[in-house]
Amino acid sequence: MKWIEKPMSRPEQLLDQYFPEEVLLPLAEKYDFAPSNPAIRHFLGRAVSSFTRHAETPKNMEQRRTQKKELEKALRHFERMERALMATDVWDGFVPLQNLPLIFRLPRLSPAPPKHLEYLKLEREFLEKGLPMFRKWLSLKIAETSGEAGRPRNVGLQRFTEYMELIWSDELGRHFTVDYHKGSGTTLAFEFVRDMISPVASPTDSEIISAMRFVISEFGAHKN
C-alpha cells in the first residue's frame, strides 16, 4: 500500500516558513521551552496564521467594514431575542446537562455521569449566564472589526498576542503581565511577545503594549 503524505495545513506551512529550526531554537532556549512541544507549535502556527489573515490591506479593511455591519445587525437581533426570552416566565426547571451534547451533536460528557450532575443548572441561571456570554462574544467580534479614533485596530497583532498569552500562561505557567516606561515594555512577557513576533513583523513597542493590554483586559489574562 502506497503511503500518501498528508498535506500541511496553512498554520503548519507558516510555522515552517517563519520559524524554521534556526529561528525557533534560540527562542526556545531563551524562554525555556521545548521547540518540539506540540501545543506550543500548534499555538504558534495559529498565531502566525491569524496575524497574516488580518494583515492591514485595503481589501481586508473593506471586508471588515462589511463584517462589522453584519455583526452589528446580528447583535441587534440577538438583543431583541434576549429581551424576549428573559421576559418569558417559563424558566423554572432544570437544564439536563447530559442532553446538551445531543442538542449540539457533540459527544456525551461522559459514559455514566454521577446522578447529581445530570441536572446541574437552573434554566434561568443557564440563560442569565449563557446569553450575556454570547452577547459579549459578539461585541468582541465587532470590536475586532472597528477602528479607534479613525485608526484601524491592529487585529492581526492582537490575535497573535492572544496565542502568545496562551503559550506563556497555559504552557509555560507564567504570569502574562505588561508594564512600561517611556513607551517601552519592561516585563518578561512583553519581551516574549516582541521576540516571538519579530520573525514575522516589526511592530513598535507601543503597538505590542496596546495589544497586550487589550488581551489582558478582554480575556482576563494575569495583570500587574
Side-chain angles (χ1 to χ4, degrees), residues 104-118:
F104 295 106
R105 300 298 190 268
L106 297 174
R108 284 277 182 172
L109 298 180
S110 64
K115 287 293 183 182
H116 68 283
L117 292 181
E118 289 186 358

Side-chain angles (χ1 to χ4, degrees), residues 126-208:
F126 182 76
L127 288 172
E128 288 174 349
K129 291 183 178 179
L131 295 178
M133 285 178 62
F134 187 75
R135 178 165 27 87
K136 174 69 171 178
W137 177 78
L138 278 174
S139 298
L140 287 173
K141 297 300 289 185
I142 291 171
E144 288 180 0
T145 63
S146 301
E148 291 182 316
R151 183 178 179 182
R153 189 190 291 272
N154 195 335
V155 178
L157 182 57
Q158 289 175 0
R159 284 297 185 87
F160 186 93
T161 305
E162 290 171 22
Y163 284 105
M164 293 307 100
E165 192 276 331
L166 287 173
I167 294 174
W168 191 253
S169 298
D170 293 357
E171 298 303 318
L172 302 183
R174 301 166 189 170
H175 292 301
F176 192 78
T177 58
V178 61
D179 203 353
Y180 50 92
H181 178 68
K182 295 183 178 179
S184 296
T186 60
T187 65
L188 192 57
F190 167 83
E191 291 184 23
F192 176 72
V193 176
R194 183 183 60 190
D195 287 347
M196 298 304 283
I197 190 67
S198 62
V200 185
S202 302
T204 65
D205 285 4
S206 294
E207 288 175 321
I208 295 173

Side-chain angles (χ1 to χ4, degrees), residues 28-108:
E29 291 176 347
K30 179 176 180 179
Y31 294 105
D32 192 25
F33 65 85
S36 60
N37 183 304
I40 290 178
R41 293 183 64 84
H42 171 74
F43 286 141
L44 187 54
R46 296 293 301 175
V48 180
S49 179
S50 292
F51 181 85
T52 57
R53 188 169 65 251
H54 292 280
E56 296 298 334
T57 65
K59 180 179 178 181
N60 284 352
M61 292 171 67
E62 178 61 31
Q63 184 181 42
R64 283 202 296 276
R65 280 193 286 268
T66 301
Q67 290 171 340
K68 180 185 176 183
K69 291 179 182 178
E70 292 300 323
L71 286 168
E72 288 176 336
K73 181 179 178 181
L75 180 59
R76 290 193 295 271
H77 285 314
F78 178 79
E79 287 175 338
R80 286 196 293 271
M81 182 190 74
E82 183 181 15
R83 288 192 295 269
L85 286 173
M86 295 306 294
T88 304
D89 191 23
V90 297
W91 314 114
D92 54 358
F94 288 90
V95 177
L97 294 189
Q98 285 306 114
N99 287 350
L100 291 181
L102 294 178
I103 295 171
F104 295 106
R105 300 298 190 268
L106 297 174
R108 284 277 182 172

